[in-house]
Amino acid sequence: MKIGLISDTHGFFTQEFKDFLEPVDQLWHAGDFGGDIDFVDSIASFKPLVAVYGNCDGQDIRRSYPLVQYFDCEGLKVLMTHIGGYPNKYDIKARALIERYRPDIFVCGHSHILKVMRDDYFNMMTINPGACGYQGWQIYRTALRFDINDKKLENLELFKIER
C-alpha cells in the first residue's frame, strides 16, 4: 500500500502537493487542517483519508475526526495524534499512548518540523511530515509518501517546496 502523509495544512492543500500525492492509495493527515469541514472534505475526496484533529481545528472537524487514531496498515500498528514529539522528547500524553499501544509507527504533526527517526527504545518509527501549509515559521512546506509492504515501511520519499 502506498501512503501519503501530511500535517498542518492550515487551510492550504495546493496542486503541487496533490501532484506528489496522486499515486498514493491512502492519505494520512496528522492534524491542524485549518479551514472548515468543507476544506477537510475536499482532502477526503482526493484520496481515502485517515486523520486526527489538531489543536487549531474547530468543533466541526473535531466531531468528524478523533484526537487519536490507532489502526493496522498492512500488518503494522500505527498510532497517530497531532501533538507528539520525538524520541526522548515525547509529549507526556503521547508517551502514555505509545506505552499503551506499542505501535510500529508513531505519526504526529504540530511542530512543523520534518522528522523521521527510529526509536530503538520503543522499537518503532517516529514520523512527523512537517507542515503542508503556509502558516508558521518553517522555510519549506513538506509531505511524505512511502510504501508499506509485508510489514515493512519502504521507499520513503520527501516532497518539499519553499514557502
Side-chain angles (χ1 to χ4, degrees), residues 12-32:
F12 292 93
F13 187 52
T14 57
Q15 190 60 49
E16 304 95 335
F17 285 88
K18 291 177 185 174
D19 292 344
F20 174 73
L21 296 166
E22 181 57 40
V24 306
D25 301 306
Q26 191 173 70
L27 185 60
W28 299 351
H29 192 301
D32 273 3

Side-chain angles (χ1 to χ4, degrees), residues 37-139:
I37 197 65
D38 292 334
F39 173 70
V40 178
D41 290 346
S42 74
I43 295 174
S45 70
F46 171 68
K47 293 289 176 176
L49 182 64
V50 178
V52 294
Y53 71 78
N55 59 298
C56 292
D57 291 322
Q59 292 303 312
D60 56 345
I61 296 170
R62 291 172 188 231
R63 280 190 293 275
S64 298
Y65 293 90
L67 174 64
V68 175
Q69 288 268 19
Y70 178 68
F71 58 97
D72 179 274
C73 183
E74 300 294 316
L76 292 180
K77 298 175 289 182
V78 180
L79 175 64
M80 182 171 22
T81 193
H82 182 60
I83 299 175
Y86 50 91
N88 299 316
K89 295 187 188 245
Y90 292 114
D91 171 80
I92 192 167
K93 292 177 184 175
R95 184 179 175 99
L97 290 167
I98 292 165
E99 289 173 347
R100 177 179 174 194
Y101 290 107
R102 299 291 177 166
D104 300 304
I105 303 171
F106 175 63
V107 176
C108 61
H110 186 63
S111 70
H112 295 209
I113 300 170
L114 170 72
K115 284 193 187 261
V116 178
M117 302 176 72
R118 177 94 190 135
D119 185 327
D120 291 328
Y121 182 80
F122 286 110
N123 191 31
M124 67 180 185
M125 288 299 296
T126 298
I127 305 175
N128 184 326
C132 185
Y134 292 97
Q135 183 175 329
W137 52 267
Q138 73 277 2
I139 296 170

